[in-house]
Amino acid sequence: MSRYEAVDNLHRCVADLETALKTFTNFLPGLRLLVARVFELPPVMKGNEHDPVRKIAVKQHLAQPALDLALRHYLRLFIQHQSESLSTKAAVRLPGALCFAASPEESRLVHQHIDNINSLKQRLEQIITVESGVPSEERFEFVHTHLKGLITLNAYRTITLLDAADSLHFGWANKHIIKNVTREEMLEKLNKSVKAGRAMAPWTREEWAEKLSDEIALLNSLPASAKLKIKRPVKVQPIARVWNKQQQKQTQLACPSPLLILCPDATSVPKLGELLNYDADNVVHKFKPQAKTLYTLIPRLHLYSDIEV
């Protein structure tokens, strides 16, 4: 696919997504709201995106005010939809849940809306990350050249719909993303950067090329038995734990947006818990397995090895 076709598809997809979201947020208030509870988190200001998060104060909203916040949240795709002082590099999160009474026909329509919205969100991500042919380091510029102000973190985020839940509790997850990688994969990545011939601040082009060469040499110096892992820290994020009594099963879900829960009637509303303030100094781990020792290899890539160099 040509870059021109990708740009055309990008505009069409975002336009369709905006229309679908507006149609859905106009439809949803027509259902009978049973319970609404959302938790407003402090905004991330420009320049503070990489500050360590030790404490998060939560502000709870209930009933109609909670629904109003949720509807605005679902529609937020562009920086124009928020204050100019807020960071565009940090996703705005609004954990919580909205419970509606829905007849079989209403339930079918809600599923239809959500399936369409989530398909468009996945399609948008496919266009930007694959069909555009744009390397990851150039995607921000590509997106904002053709769709100024689009917040991809918000645009990609799907809406979670549940048909049944007996209880819903909220909490915080603070962990690492760990991924096994091969030496060949990492060498390919570094060699692509060399061929691109660009500099990375604060280095000059020559200094950056030399740094890449040193990283390639470091990888090649490892014994064949060395295991490599990407261990990238993820900032603390809100989660929901959904309990289904019939299945005797608890499911943990990321909860950056209010979950939608459809209930046959008012007697089947799930028990909703609260999201408490986050305090990193008072986190208690029920079980924390002993991790294997890893040694830092290339810090900027969060690359580790089980062998010390």
Side-chain angles (χ1 to χ4, degrees):
M1 177 180 290
S2 69
R3 181 72 62 89
Y4 176 82
E5 289 176 304
V7 170
D8 185 53
N9 288 342
L10 180 65
H11 281 281
R12 289 174 183 272
C13 188
V14 169
D16 289 344
L17 178 57
E18 284 192 289
T19 299
L21 285 168
K22 286 175 183 175
T23 302
F24 177 62
T25 52
N26 286 332
F27 166 81
L28 201 57
L31 300 179
R32 181 188 172 197
L33 180 64
L34 298 174
V35 177
R37 175 175 282 179
V38 301
F39 307 96
E40 186 180 2
L41 309 183
V44 179
M45 312 309 287
K46 284 183 178 177
N48 297 343
E49 300 91 350
H50 303 296
D51 292 353
V53 177
R54 304 296 301 172
K55 295 180 184 295
I56 300 175
V58 176
K59 183 178 180 181
Q60 179 175 259
H61 299 269
L62 302 172
Q64 190 62 42
L67 175 60
D68 294 340
L69 275 175
L71 296 178
R72 290 198 297 272
H73 180 77
Y74 293 140
L75 289 168
R76 186 185 284 114
L77 295 180
F78 289 87
I79 57 174
Q80 294 90 324
H81 297 157
Q82 63 186 36
S83 166
E84 291 183 1
S85 61
L86 297 185
S87 170
T88 59
K89 298 179 181 177
V92 176
R93 296 184 170 95
L94 186 72
L98 308 176
C99 303
F100 292 93
S103 66
E105 176 59 17
E106 288 171 330
S107 178
R108 185 188 68 80
L109 289 172
V110 173
H111 275 272
Q112 196 173 70
H113 280 293
I114 295 299
D115 288 346
N116 182 39
I117 289 168
N118 288 343
S119 293
L120 287 167
K121 286 173 170 287
Q122 291 161 4
R123 174 81 181 114
L124 179 63
E125 186 171 7
Q126 173 77 7
I127 292 168
I128 293 172
T129 61
V130 179
E131 294 179 12
S132 69
V134 177
S136 57
E137 61 271 17
E138 297 176 20
R139 284 176 197 154
F140 182 86
E141 183 179 350
F142 168 75
V143 169
H144 288 273
T145 296
H146 301 291
L147 279 170
K148 188 172 179 61
L150 181 71
I151 307 172
T152 53
L153 289 170
N154 290 12
Y156 293 168
R157 182 192 288 146
T158 55
I159 299 174
T160 300
L161 175 62
L162 302 174
D163 287 308
D166 292 290
S167 67
L168 190 61
H169 295 279
F170 301 94
W172 298 98
N174 193 355
K175 58 183 180 181
H176 289 77
I177 289 178
I178 300 177
K179 177 186 175 185
N180 293 320
V181 292
T182 65
R183 187 201 312 251
E184 291 70 25
E185 287 173 332
M186 298 311 301
L187 286 173
E188 183 181 0
K189 182 181 179 71
L190 292 173
N191 282 316
K192 277 185 179 179
S193 296
V194 170
K195 289 176 183 176
R198 287 183 291 272
M200 182 76 74
W203 293 276
T204 65
R205 186 173 297 181
E206 292 73 20
E207 289 170 340
W208 184 243
E210 185 177 346
K211 182 175 176 62
L212 290 171
S213 295
D214 290 343
E215 290 174 350
I216 290 171
L218 180 62
L219 274 174
N220 283 324
S221 71
L222 290 171
S225 60
K227 294 179 180 178
L228 301 178
K229 291 179 183 288
I230 298 287
K231 186 181 178 184
R232 183 166 57 84
V234 177
K235 284 192 175 182
V236 62
Q237 58 181 312
I239 57 168
R241 298 184 183 92
V242 184
W243 173 251
N244 187 305
K245 186 163 57 178
Q246 185 175 357
Q247 297 178 359
Q248 287 293 295
K249 180 182 178 182
Q250 177 176 276
T251 304
Q252 181 170 299
L253 303 170
C255 194
S257 303
L259 306 179
L260 291 176
I261 303 173
L262 301 182
C263 309
D265 51 53
T267 65
S268 55
V269 176
K271 178 183 177 183
L272 296 185
E274 295 185 25
L275 180 65
L276 302 178
N277 294 341
Y278 174 74
D279 184 351
D281 297 325
N282 290 303
V283 173
V284 177
H285 297 279
K286 290 183 179 179
F287 173 69
K288 191 173 183 180
Q290 185 66 38
K292 293 182 179 179
T293 302
L294 293 173
Y295 302 95
T296 305
L297 201 61
I298 303 178
R300 71 178 184 89
L301 297 178
H302 306 288
L303 183 64
Y304 295 78
S305 173
D306 62 339
I307 295 176
E308 188 173 12
V309 179

